[in-house]
């Protein structure tokens, strides 16, 4: 079983920064994609940024130049550095992975989410 745990959310003023982390644990053999999604109040879930094991990446236009996703090569951890935050970035942020378990099963796993509130 693969699990994801996010951390780092909180309240920040417009223009401020936050860094989210997502740690994968369990019987993960390898990951194919790691991604951050967000869901604003009364909104749908949208893809923010994604990286693949092959090195491809995607960044939503709404956060391009402000958000950066990075992968810790030694651990199953990804981070999302968010700079120049805007009130419209307020949302619950979710980490997601498409991975292969040690039993060679393909799984899609979501974290529980972490709330980011930009206000002030």
């Amino acid at each position: 079983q693969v699990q994801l745990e996010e951390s780092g959310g909180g309240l920040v003023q417009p223009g401020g920064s936050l860094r989210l982390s997502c740690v994968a644990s369990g019987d993960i053999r390898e990951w194919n994609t790691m991604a951050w999604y967000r869901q604003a109040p009364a909104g749908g879930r949208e893809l923010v940024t994604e990286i693949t094991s092959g090195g491809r990446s995607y960044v939503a236009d709404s956060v391009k130049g402000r958000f950066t996703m990075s992968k810790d090569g030694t651990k199953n951890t990804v981070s999302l550095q968010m700079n120049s935050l805007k009130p419209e970035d307020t949302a619950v942020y979710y980490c997601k992975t498409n991975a292969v378990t040690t039993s060679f099963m393909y799984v899609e796993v979501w974290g529980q989410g972490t709330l980011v509130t930009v206000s002030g």
Side-chain angles (χ1 to χ4, degrees), residues 24-84:
S25 61
D27 57 345
I28 183 169
R29 176 180 176 85
E30 61 185 8
W31 60 273
N32 295 325
T33 65
M34 294 288 282
W36 286 97
Y37 284 74
R38 67 184 181 185
Q39 186 165 12
R45 192 169 293 188
E46 65 170 338
L47 176 61
V48 176
T49 182
E50 180 180 69
I51 56 174
T52 73
S53 58
R56 296 192 305 272
S57 65
Y58 165 83
V59 180
D61 288 342
S62 58
V63 305
K64 199 167 290 184
R66 300 188 298 121
F67 290 13
T68 303
M69 183 177 183
S70 59
K71 175 74 171 63
D72 185 329
T74 61
K75 303 176 183 177
N76 288 326
T77 302
V78 292
S79 299
L80 181 65
Q81 179 65 43
M82 304 185 295
N83 299 326
S84 303

Side-chain angles (χ1 to χ4, degrees), residues 2-3 5-6 13 25 39 42 46 52-53 70 75 86 90 92 98 100 119:
V2 177
Q3 295 179 325
E5 183 173 359
E6 304 102 332
Q13 293 185 339
S25 61
Q39 186 165 12
E46 65 170 338
T52 73
S53 58
S70 59
K75 303 176 183 177
K86 305 175 181 180
T90 295
V92 177
N98 291 88
V100 181
S119 178

Side-chain angles (χ1 to χ4, degrees), residues 103-116:
S103 302
F104 296 96
M105 292 182 61
Y106 288 87
V107 295
E108 179 180 284
V109 181
W110 292 83
Q112 81 286 353
T114 185
L115 176 63
V116 172

